[in-house]
Amino acid sequence: MAGVAILKLLEQRILDQADIFGTDVLKVDMFLNHQIDVELLNEIGKEFFRLYSESGINKILTVEASGIGIACITAQYFSVPVVFAKKGYNSNVGSDIYTSDIFSFTKGVSSKIGVSHKYLGQKDKVLIIDDFLANGSALTGLIDIVRQAGAFITGIGIVIEKGFQPGGRLIRESGIRIESLAVIKSMVNGNIIFG
Ligand code: 5GP
């Protein structure tokens, strides 16, 4: 399936099956965040591979929990391992863990994420994958960890970016490539507009 087809498929699934909570939270439990449509994820993985296949990626990084499935399916196309940042470290973790603090958009709490020094280092060319991009805190934490490890950020792959929130703009302005498969321009009064 070519790029445009998966984008249209994803947009249609969002229109048909997503629920809007409050003004800015999109629930896609039907196919991405609770029940998982593996065929759709396969197409998403293929698309990330099409976009980044020339980049020499040797590792995919995500954050638990909802990024893991997407990252694993995507990794099959690149034949590379997935590393996921674990959540819930306390402040006195060992010195062999890179840590960063993130603020959860959906839960409204801060938490520490961490990756062992064993699984990320200077030789790594990293593709960061996540399900959503909102204010950019999760990505900023992952970028911080990649930089602490001395690894190279090749780019970022996001399934759904909420373009009316600032994360995407801020991270692109820092010079990092972000490819978002569906970008939501607005979701006012139950109307989801892509753009
Ligand atoms: P950010 O850190 O960019 O503010 O938010 C991204 C993270 O919060 C993602 O890892 C995702 O799990 C969660 N998130 C942000 N916005 C939404 C949303 O509208 N729906 C869902 N299901 N998760 C979201």
Side-chain angles (χ1 to χ4, degrees):
M1 188 179 296
V4 175
I6 171 62
L7 305 194
K8 288 286 154 220
L9 190 67
L10 184 58
E11 287 184 0
Q12 199 55 52
R13 288 301 284 273
I14 293 169
L15 290 175
D16 291 346
Q17 294 180 331
D19 291 315
I20 300 172
F21 276 75
T23 53
D24 53 11
V25 175
L26 194 70
K27 284 277 243 181
V28 287
D29 283 4
M30 183 71 189
F31 59 92
L32 194 65
N33 285 148
H34 195 6
Q35 173 169 270
I36 295 177
D37 182 335
V38 177
E39 279 182 32
L40 181 70
L41 238 57
N42 249 324
E43 298 305 327
I44 288 168
K46 262 188 229 168
E47 179 63 4
F48 285 140
F49 181 67
R50 190 183 71 77
L51 292 162
Y52 283 108
S53 58
E54 306 298 319
S55 308
I57 285 154
N58 72 333
K59 204 156 278 185
I60 292 180
L61 178 69
T62 187
V63 57
E64 70 174 350
S66 48
I68 297 176
I70 304 158
C72 286
I73 298 251
T74 303
Q76 291 187 310
Y77 292 98
F78 287 91
S79 300
V80 301
V82 171
V83 176
F84 63 93
K86 295 191 177 194
K87 281 184 181 158
Y89 284 99
N90 59 32
S91 46
N92 48 5
V93 285
S95 56
D96 56 346
I97 311 276
Y98 304 113
T99 62
S100 195
D101 294 307
I102 64 171
F103 182 78
S104 165
F105 178 79
T106 46
K107 299 194 182 95
V109 292
S110 295
S111 66
K112 204 172 271 301
I113 57 169
V115 169
S116 166
H117 289 191
K118 276 191 238 167
Y119 304 122
L120 203 59
Q122 287 179 0
K123 292 192 182 121
D124 289 323
K125 291 185 83 177
V126 178
L127 172 63
I128 297 174
I129 294 279
D130 205 5
D131 58 346
F132 273 90
L133 171 53
N135 292 325
S137 178
L139 286 184
T140 303
L142 291 171
I143 291 165
D144 179 28
I145 282 176
V146 175
R147 294 206 165 127
Q148 288 176 47
F152 180 75
I153 300 164
T154 304
I156 295 173
I158 296 291
V159 180
I160 302 170
E161 175 176 344
K162 290 178 292 178
F164 55 88
Q165 293 175 303
R169 179 180 52 76
L170 294 173
I171 294 167
R172 286 186 182 93
E173 276 173 9
S174 78
I176 296 176
R177 175 180 174 193
I178 304 180
E179 299 285 354
S180 296
L181 302 189
V183 180
I184 296 176
K185 197 159 77 180
S186 71
M187 42 190 222
V188 179
N189 300 328
N191 272 336
I192 297 174
I193 315 266
F194 297 100

